[in-house]
Amino acid sequence: MMVEDVAKAALSERLDVFGILHAEPDDGIGEGTIVLLGPAEPGFWPHVTATPEFGDGEPDPLDRWSARVVKRIATTTGGRALLPFGTPVRPFTRWALRSGQAFVSPVLLLVHARAGLFVSYRGAILLPELLEIPKPPPHPCDSCEGRPCLAACPASALVSDRYDLSACHAYLDTNAGQTCMVRGCAVRRSCPQGRNYPRMEMQSAHHMKAFHP
Ligand code: SF4
Ligand code: SF4
C-alpha cells in the first residue's frame, strides 16, 4: 500500500495526511511508515457532526468517531491504527515534529505547515513498508512578519516563556473571554499560517467547551 491509498481512504472521512515518518525502535510499534491524519478543511466539522457518535448522547463523540474511522482506514489499507488518546499512549507530538511538517512555535504550541496553530491529529496509520518521506517545508515562523501569536492572548496567559493555565481559565470566565469560548483561542486564530485552513468556529467552540466546561 502507498500513502496515496491512505490519503484516498482518509479523504472519504474528511481526514488529510498531516505528516509521514518512519517508525523508530523507541516507538515500540515495529518497523514501517507512520502516516499522520488530521482534519481536512473545509468540511470536516459538518461531516463529523452528522455521524452517529454525535447523535447518541454518549461522551467523547469526536474520539469515538476517530477510533472508528481510523481503524476502518487501517483495515482498508492493510495498516495498523494508532490513536492519540486512550492507552497505550502514543507520542503524537514527537511524531509530528519528526515528520518535518510541524514545528515548535514561539508560544511553544505546535505549528503545522498547512494548518498553522489549528493543527490537530485524529489518528495515524502504520504501514508495514518503509516508504519514501517527502522533503519538509521551511519552518513557517522564520518568515512570519511580526510573529502575531506572541501578543495575541488578551490575558497574557500564553506567551513565549509560559502558558499560565489559571490565568487562561480565569479570563474565560469573564464576559470578554466569551470571544475565545465562541471563536477559539485568540493565539491560535492569530497565526497567518492557518489562514488557508478554514476550521469552523463551531469546532473551536466544541474544543473550548471541553477545555473550559
Ligand atoms: S503566528 Fe507566525 S510565528 Fe506564530 S506560530 Fe504562526 S507562523 Fe509561527
Ligand atoms: S484561550 Fe484565550 S485566554 Fe486562553 S490562551 Fe487562548 S487567547 Fe489566551
Side-chain angles (χ1 to χ4, degrees), residues 105-107 109-111 116-117 139-142 144-150 187 190-194:
S105 72
V107 286
L109 301 173
L110 277 185
V111 57
L117 291 176
H139 195 314
C141 307
D142 289 347
C144 178
E145 205 171 320
R147 298 191 160 195
C149 59
L150 282 166
V187 176
S190 74
C191 177
Q193 196 67 20

Side-chain angles (χ1 to χ4, degrees), residues 61-148:
L62 189 55
D63 285 356
R64 288 187 294 116
W65 171 82
S66 303
R68 177 171 64 82
V69 304
V70 171
K71 283 173 188 165
R72 188 182 62 73
I73 295 166
T75 303
T76 310
T77 57
R80 175 174 159 200
L82 304 165
L83 298 170
F85 46 81
T87 50
V89 175
R90 306 292 188 193
F92 268 73
T93 301
R94 211 165 69 216
W95 289 347
L97 293 170
R98 261 169 46 202
S99 78
Q101 301 292 322
F103 309 83
V104 178
S105 72
V107 286
L108 302 183
L109 301 173
L110 277 185
V111 57
H112 186 263
R114 192 166 347 124
L117 291 176
F118 285 135
V119 61
S120 67
Y121 298 90
R122 297 315 320 164
I125 307 297
L126 177 69
L127 296 174
E129 302 88 356
L130 281 179
L131 302 173
E132 192 178 337
I133 307 297
K135 194 168 171 273
H139 195 314
C141 307
D142 289 347
S143 57
C144 178
E145 205 171 320
R147 298 191 160 195

Side-chain angles (χ1 to χ4, degrees), residues 153-155 158 163 168 171-172 180 185-187 208:
C153 177
L158 181 51
Y163 183 15
C168 173
Y171 182 76
L172 295 175
C180 288
C185 171
V187 176
M208 290 303 296

